[in-house]
């Protein structure tokens, strides 16, 4: 039995190695990278499955780059990138520009009065607020009839899955098109970053504030995560919420968003990846024609404060009307660390599937949690970040019980070598997961672009799996001992504080 | 297993743009005018095989990657579960896999499959249960053997039933933690009726009532070859795969056919329904009624209406309530269409407590305004363009084509439903859209749900009409089921 198992494992190993090198060879043949004279990187990956393509535009700036006092600005600009350009979404840009400039002047006067520490003149404040709102109404006349024109063009031309995201590390824009719209796409996507217009900014700011209410304020886990990351990072901007603090959202201006764009949306900070039924020889000249129009600008300085070593445990405990949750995180180095794949291996071992140690210990055997796992990347991974563990205690069990059980599993990692079977399983799975990730245009565009942006070479997507192959049992013990120590730990807990007050005030559906 | 939190973390940590021109310069016009025709594309169709015992098989070759995936969909889902055992289908869907086979425990299967980076998973939905596998092609025989054993001889070991029940108790205890979850659940109850199987939820007592006999009886009743549609996609040779599947399933005797379920719908009376939640600063507002099915001859006009009125960046609700008024990040909705039962007609807006009534009024204006301000030619053109130009994304991979065909087979739709759909959309007129809007959108017949912090609303909901406060307190577990002091709220 044992030898048969071993044979299977060896067989798998040989097979996967072959499959992977074939994959990389196949991708080498159909992937073209070009850095345009303005510094923008273009990747084209030919995947002639169906006459469609997907793209991802990666901008190597996220909310870590938000200026002090203006958290949420990177994400706010992302929303503005859907507001059109000087030719899309306006009745007459020349006049609209004048009106938008007036809005900015009025806004600056309004918040100067609003934010006076002492001696605010209430009447003047009201007048300035009204003047600002009037200027907004005047500017809107140019754009209101063309609301969301950019998105309307994309959607009516058959764009699929149009969206974007901002996180602490980066911002990305994406959708898919039928392949005959390549030139239209190249035009629209380059135009978006050539001539963005900060129109309807203050209404969109309200939309973003609603997004904050939905994701963070009105969700107990959202509340915990915000407080938890804020606690875990004292110096590095990872302590910020991507969505932004409420007072910052109510303060920053369209001018701030334009400045953010000018500084960070420079071609040398962007990777545009296109995957689909395209020939690089046909597509590259079209992409180059449109994206070369974006003027070269200096690459921004993105150095940040280094988080100093943590020297005592930190705790955040929220008393909530909701059921308990336990979360803890340990500082670890950034994605470029030679130990990055060791952390990947630990995450896989602890979390992946029903053979994972945390599932088996907390869910199956002790039966104290409904779910438990450990993972890297909280709250990002471009900079030193956290390896986190969490568990949802079952009814009748406490956050202390699940924390203790997680610590037992962490101690095992530190004191005992993992088994041969476990190590093989981790490596086999890493390769299979890579293969499974190669089967969609959108997924490939995202991955190739991200690896290109992070490492300067998309091939690292494949090499990262080779590096997992080199991880040893000793590596796992060493990294666990270095990382998972109490003084390096931040704990986040939701405790159930009792049921909500019964619905007395709500007798008539509330309100006053 | 739940992996929801990982997903939730990344959702909460990122923030996105979406829930979702006369002066266009000549270059855009020129480019749009010179879009070449899309190359002809005839997606490969799966091979359909019907075994003498009634099992239907679809084989779809796809040689891009060295993978083989399969899924069997089996008639009979949670809507057939008696109310007193609500949760049975969820437990069945989990323990079918975790409970192992006659010869191997679920834990042994876990080790065996994970060594091969393979998955075999089971699950239950409203109208069917599923069992699927995913493997590297060289492991196909090993993994298919597990699939076959689980399909034919599952064991539903008792220890795993206990774990599945505990997981359900946990999800019951947490079901009022997130306002979005409350709103979704209560809205479905209003649309379909509290006791409808499309809306009903499990309670501690109904989960506790489920026994191993229930699971084995369920399996005996529904897992019969004539109730199964099996689809396989991946790097295989169809002739060889067909032979293998005939060998596996050809001698399986036909069983009783699953009868159509008897489902009663009992929509709530129109009016306002309020859930008070004091730990939120945003209201989740949902206006609901019954929708229709995709067999409805109005389906094409409804699709165009939905796109124009409440879907995506181009829609009226997005433009008016989000972009112009800045009232919401999440806004949208439409006339829901399901395959074999009425979908939900639902309009959603999520707004700060202080603009709750203002937003209800804004949504009201959009709905009642449809008669005076019907969907325009421009809006209809854009909606049709959007559906038709993105049509290719419904079949741009062999796996998607397979999924579509399996759905048509399962629900008894014509296999050329997609081609019919394209023609149907093309022929929709302005009058059709106005007609379906008038037929389905009746603001005075809709139930309006508000989940929010009522004492912070701009005005009481009662200023709009009679209000019913919904009690969402979770019925406590039967004595002794859970440790003391749990299952509160």
């Amino acid at each position: 039995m044992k030898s048969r198992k071993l044979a299977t494992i060896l067989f798998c190993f040989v097979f996967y190695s072959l499959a992977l090198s074939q994959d990389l060879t196949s991708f080498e043949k159909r992937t073209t990278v070009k850095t345009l004279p303005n510094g923008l990187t273009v990747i084209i990956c030919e995947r002639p499955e169906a006459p469609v393509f997907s793209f991802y535009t990666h901008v190597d700036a996220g909310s870590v780059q938000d200026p002090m006092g203006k958290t949420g600005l990177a994400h706010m600009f992302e929303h503005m990138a859907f507001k059109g350009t000087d030719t899309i979404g306006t009745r007459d840009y020349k006049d609209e520009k004048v009106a938008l400039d007036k809005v900015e002047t009025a806004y600056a006067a309004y918040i100067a009065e609003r934010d006076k520490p002492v001696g605010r003149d209430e009447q003047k404040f009201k007048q300035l607020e009204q003047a600002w709102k009037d200027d907004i109404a005047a500017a809107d006349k140019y754009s209101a009839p063309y609301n969301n024109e950019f998105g309307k063009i994309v959607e009516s031309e058959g764009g699929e899955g149009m969206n974007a995201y901002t996180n602490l590390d980066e911002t990305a824009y994406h959708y898919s098109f039928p392949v005959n719209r390549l030139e239209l796409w190249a035009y629209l996507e380059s135009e978006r970053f050539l001539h963005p217009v900060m129109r309807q900014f203050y209404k969109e700011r309200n939309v973003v504030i609603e997004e904050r209410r939905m994701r963070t304020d009105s969700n107990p886990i959202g509340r915990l995560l915000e407080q938890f990351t804020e606690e875990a990072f004292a110096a590095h901007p990872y302590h910020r919420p991507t969505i932004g603090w409420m007072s910052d959202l109510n303060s920053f201006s369209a001018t701030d968003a334009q400045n953010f764009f000018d500084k960070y949306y420079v071609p040398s900070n962007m990777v545009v990846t296109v995957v689909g039924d395209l020939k690089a020889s046909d597509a590259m000249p079209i992409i180059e024609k449109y994206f070369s129009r974006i003027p070269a600008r200096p690459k921004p300085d993105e150095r940040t404060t280094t988080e100093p070593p943590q020297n005592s445990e930190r705790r955040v405990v929220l008393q909530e009307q909701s059921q308990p949750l336990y979360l803890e995180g340990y500082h670890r180095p950034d994605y470029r660390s030679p130990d990055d794949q060791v952390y990947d291996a630990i995450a896989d071992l602890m979390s992946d599937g029903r053979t994972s140690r945390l599932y088996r210990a907390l869910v199956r055997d002790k039966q104290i949690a409904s779910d438990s796992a450990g993972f890297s990347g909280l709250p990002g991974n471009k900079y030193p970040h956290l390896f986190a563990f969490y568990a949802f205690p079952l009814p009748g069990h406490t956050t202390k019980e699940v924390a203790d059980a997680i610590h037992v599993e962490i101690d095992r990692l530190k004191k005992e070598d993992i088994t041969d079977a476990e190590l093989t399983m981790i490596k086999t799975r890493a390769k299979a997961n890579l293969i499974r990730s190669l089967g969609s245009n959108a997924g490939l565009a995202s991955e190739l672009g991200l690896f290109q942006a992070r490492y300067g070479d998309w091939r690292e997507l494949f090499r990262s799996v080779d590096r997992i192959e080199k991880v040893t049992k000793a590596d796992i013990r060493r990294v666990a001992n270095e990382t998972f120590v109490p003084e390096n730990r931040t704990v986040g807990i939701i405790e159930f504080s009792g049921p909500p007050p019964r619905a007395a005030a709500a007798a008539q559906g509330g309100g006053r | 297993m739940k992996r929801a939190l990982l997903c939730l973390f990344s959702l909460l940590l990122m923030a996105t743009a979406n829930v979702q021109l006369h002066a266009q310069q000549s270059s855009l016009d020129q480019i749009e005018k010179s879009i070449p025709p899309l190359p002809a594309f005839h997606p490969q169709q799966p091979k359909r095989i019907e075994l003498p015992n009634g099992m239907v098989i679809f084989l779809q070759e796809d040689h891009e990657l060295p993978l083989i995936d399969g899924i069997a969909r089996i008639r009979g889902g949670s809507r057939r579960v008696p109310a007193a055992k609500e949760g049975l289908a969820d437990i069945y869907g989990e323990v079918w896999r975790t409970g192992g086979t006659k010869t191997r425990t679920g834990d042994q299967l876990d080790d065996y499959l994970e060594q091969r980076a393979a998955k075999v998973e089971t699950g239950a939905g409203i109208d069917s249960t599923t069992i699927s596998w995913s493997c590297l092609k060289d492991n196909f025989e090993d993994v298919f053997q597990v699939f076959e054993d689980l399909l034919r001889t599952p064991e539903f070991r008792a220890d795993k039933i206990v774990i599945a029940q505990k997981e359900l108790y946990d999800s019951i205890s947490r079901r009022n933690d997130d306002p979005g979850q409350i709103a979704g659940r209560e809205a479905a109850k209003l649309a379909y009726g509290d006791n409808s199987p499309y809306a009903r939820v499990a309670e501690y007592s109904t989960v506790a009532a489920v026994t191993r006999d229930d699971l084995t009886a369920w399996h005996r009743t529904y897992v019969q070859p004539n109730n199964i549609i099996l689809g396989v996609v991946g790097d295989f040779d169809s002739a060889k795969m067909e032979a293998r599947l005939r060998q596996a399933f050809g001698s399986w005797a036909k069983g009783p056919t699953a009868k159509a379920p008897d489902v009663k719908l009992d929509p709530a009376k129109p009016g306002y329904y309020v859930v008070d939640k004091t730990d939120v600063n945003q209201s989740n507002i949902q206006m609901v009624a019954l929708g229709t099915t995709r067999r409805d001859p109005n389906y094409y006009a409804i699709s165009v209406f939905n796109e124009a009125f409440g879907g995506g960046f181009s829609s009226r609700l997005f433009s008016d309530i989000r972009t112009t008024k800045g009232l919401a990040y999440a806004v949208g909705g439409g006339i829901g269409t399901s395959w074999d039962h009425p979908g939900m007609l639902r309009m959603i807006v999520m707004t700060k407590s202080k603009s709750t009534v203002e937003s209800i009024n804004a949504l009201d204006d959009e709905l009642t305004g449809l008669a005076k301000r019907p969907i325009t030619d421009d809006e209809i053109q854009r909606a049709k363009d959007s559906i038709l130009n993105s049509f290719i994304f419904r079949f741009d991979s062999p796996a998607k084509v397979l999924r579509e065909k399996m759905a048509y087979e399962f629900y008894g739709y014509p296999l050329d439903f997609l081609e019919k759909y394209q023609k149907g959309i093309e022929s929709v007129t302005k009058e059709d859209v106005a007609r379906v809007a008038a037929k389905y959108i009746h603001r005075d017949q809709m139930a309006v749900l508000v989940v929010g912090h009522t004492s912070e609303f701009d005005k009481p909901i009662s200023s709009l009409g009679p209000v019913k406060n919904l009690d969402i307190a979770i019925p406590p577990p039967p004595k002794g089921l859970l440790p003391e002091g749990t299952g509160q709220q």
Side-chain angles (χ1 to χ4, degrees), chain B residues 185-482:
Chain B
R185 179 184 74 230
E186 298 302 321
K189 287 185 186 171
L190 295 173
Y192 290 112
D194 278 358
N195 293 312
S196 152
Y198 296 122
R200 213 163 54 202
V201 293
E203 301 294 353
Y204 293 113
S205 59
T206 64
V207 171
V210 176
T211 65
R212 181 169 181 276
D213 285 348
D214 293 328
L215 306 185
T216 53
W218 180 284
H219 197 83
R220 257 196 324 277
T221 307
Y222 296 110
V223 182
Q224 302 291 347
N226 39 310
N227 284 337
I228 297 177
I229 296 163
L230 171 65
V232 187
V233 60
D235 191 9
F236 57 80
D237 173 82
S238 288
K240 284 184 190 152
M241 181 61 76
E242 178 176 346
R244 180 71 186 84
L245 297 177
R246 282 185 185 278
Q247 179 207 332
F249 303 122
S251 60
W252 191 355
K254 194 170 181 160
T257 306
K259 286 190 287 282
D262 177 25
V263 173
K264 295 201 171 45
L265 303 181
D266 181 22
K269 291 196 185 74
Y272 294 91
Y273 297 82
V274 171
V275 174
D276 187 33
K277 186 138 175 70
T278 55
D279 63 346
V280 303
N281 62 5
Q282 188 181 60
S283 297
N284 190 315
I285 301 162
Q286 306 207 2
M287 300 189 179
V288 300
L290 277 184
T292 183
T293 73
R294 291 173 210 185
R295 288 189 198 281
D296 189 325
N298 291 318
Y299 176 52
Y300 312 114
I302 288 171
S303 300
V304 173
F305 169 82
N306 286 348
E307 182 75 21
F309 186 71
F313 276 80
S314 312
S315 72
R316 216 181 244 201
L317 291 183
F318 193 96
S319 174
D320 292 354
I321 293 182
R322 174 165 155 158
T323 307
T324 302
K325 297 197 167 88
L327 281 172
Y329 170 73
V331 59
I335 303 161
T337 52
S338 295
W339 291 100
D340 72 348
H341 65 278
M344 265 170 83
L345 186 160
R346 168 151 57 178
M347 306 292 161
I348 300 182
V349 57
M350 291 159 72
T351 193
K352 61 186 175 294
S353 307
K354 268 272 172 274
S355 51
T356 302
V357 171
E358 181 187 355
S359 294
I360 293 173
N361 288 333
L363 203 48
D364 281 354
D365 290 346
E366 296 293 334
L367 294 168
T368 55
L370 273 168
K372 274 193 215 142
R373 204 162 65 93
I375 305 289
T376 64
D377 286 324
D378 260 10
E379 288 173 305
I380 287 170
Q381 190 56 50
R382 212 163 39 230
K384 288 169 75 168
D385 284 349
S386 174
I387 296 170
L388 295 170
N389 286 330
S390 65
F391 193 64
I392 186 151
F393 292 104
R394 291 172 180 244
F395 48 84
D396 64 338
S397 78
K400 277 193 200 171
V401 175
L402 174 68
R403 271 202 297 276
E404 289 273 346
K405 297 286 166 180
M406 286 179 73
Y408 306 151
E409 181 80 30
F410 185 86
Y411 294 106
Y413 278 56
L415 289 183
D416 63 348
F417 181 69
L418 206 52
E419 291 87 78
K420 287 204 167 96
Y421 179 77
Q422 185 172 14
K423 293 199 180 71
I425 295 290
E426 281 165 359
S427 64
V428 169
T429 65
K430 188 177 171 182
E431 290 68 34
D432 293 333
V433 173
R435 182 170 47 74
V436 299
K439 177 168 175 172
Y440 291 99
I441 309 276
H442 300 286
R443 173 61 186 84
D444 58 351
Q445 290 171 30
M446 294 164 77
V448 181
L449 173 72
V450 184
V451 178
H453 194 168
T454 56
S455 67
E456 295 186 347
F457 289 178
D458 42 351
K459 285 182 201 160
I461 303 295
S462 57
S463 65
L464 299 169
V467 170
K468 186 173 181 223
N469 286 297
L470 296 177
D471 181 7
I472 59 163
I474 299 163
K479 233 179 154 43
L481 184 69
L482 297 176

Side-chain angles (χ1 to χ4, degrees), chain A residues 5 8 11 15-16 47 49-52 75 78-79 82-83 87-91 146-149 152-153 155-158 160 162-166 176-181 184 187 200 203-204 206-207 210-211 213-215 217-223 225 242-243 290 321-324 351 353-355 359-360 363-364 367 370-371 375 378 390 392-396 425 428-429 432 435-436 439 496 500-502 506-512, chain B residues 1-3 5-6 8-9 11-18 20-25 27-28 31-32 35-38 41 64-66 97-98 107 110-111 114-117 121 134-136 138-139 160 162-163 166-167 169-170 173-174 177-179 276 278-282 312-314 318-319 322-324 326-329 350-352 382 385-386 389-390 392-393 396 454-455 457-462 467 469 471 473 483 486 488-489:
Chain A
K5 206 159 144 185
T8 315
F11 172 76
F15 163 70
Y16 294 127
R47 187 170 171 267
E49 287 282 302
V52 296
H75 171 240
E78 176 226 300
H79 274 242
F82 289 81
K83 291 290 183 189
T87 53
I88 297 172
T90 185
R91 179 196 306 237
Y146 308 101
N147 268 353
N148 306 313
E149 192 64 31
K152 283 175 179 170
I153 295 170
E155 285 185 343
S156 62
E157 291 289 353
E160 179 82 356
M162 177 177 62
N163 215 329
Y165 67 81
T166 307
S176 306
F177 248 158
V179 77
N180 56 345
R181 264 82 170 174
L184 175 66
Y187 172 77
Q200 300 173 325
K203 279 178 185 164
E204 194 64 25
N206 287 338
V207 170
E210 290 295 349
E211 187 178 355
R213 292 191 178 100
M214 178 182 85
R215 290 184 198 279
D217 298 341
S218 297
N219 182 304
I221 297 175
R223 293 192 286 267
L225 280 175
T242 288
I243 192 78
Y290 287 99
Q321 298 172 11
S322 52
Q323 297 299 310
S351 315
R354 292 193 191 86
T355 53
Y359 176 82
R360 286 201 157 163
V363 179
R364 185 189 72 175
Q367 299 188 15
S370 57
D371 186 22
F375 61 100
L378 190 68
Y390 70 85
F392 289 94
L394 282 178
M425 198 187 287
T428 306
R429 250 192 323 228
I435 292 171
R436 288 194 168 103
F496 177 59
R502 295 310 297 246
Q508 290 302 310
R512 280 186 283 256
Chain B
M1 282 191 56
K2 279 191 238 157
R3 277 289 165 270
L5 187 70
L6 279 176
L8 184 63
F9 278 167
L11 278 177
L12 291 166
L13 286 167
M14 65 165 72
T16 64
N18 191 13
Q20 173 76 332
L21 151 61
H22 76 150
Q24 275 172 28
Q25 73 309 334
S27 46
L28 176 58
I31 295 168
E32 285 193 293
I35 291 172
L38 196 61
F41 178 56
E64 186 187 12
L65 297 168
R97 165 66 177 77
T98 59
D107 296 350
D110 296 341
D111 287 329
E114 291 294 345
Q115 279 159 9
R116 290 158 180 76
E121 290 298 328
S134 173
C135 67
L136 289 149
D138 284 37
N139 299 128
K160 299 300 184 188
V162 172
I163 293 176
K166 285 183 177 174
E167 287 176 1
Y169 299 148
D170 183 65
S173 77
R174 294 178 186 275
D177 291 357
D178 172 52
D276 187 33
T278 55
D279 63 346
V280 303
N281 62 5
Q282 188 181 60
F313 276 80
S314 312
F318 193 96
S319 174
R322 174 165 155 158
T323 307
T324 302
L327 281 172
Y329 170 73
M350 291 159 72
T351 193
K352 61 186 175 294
R382 212 163 39 230
D385 284 349
S386 174
N389 286 330
S390 65
I392 186 151
F393 292 104
D396 64 338
T454 56
S455 67
F457 289 178
D458 42 351
K459 285 182 201 160
I461 303 295
S462 57
V467 170
N469 286 297
D471 181 7
T486 59
Q488 299 170 80
Q489 220 203 348

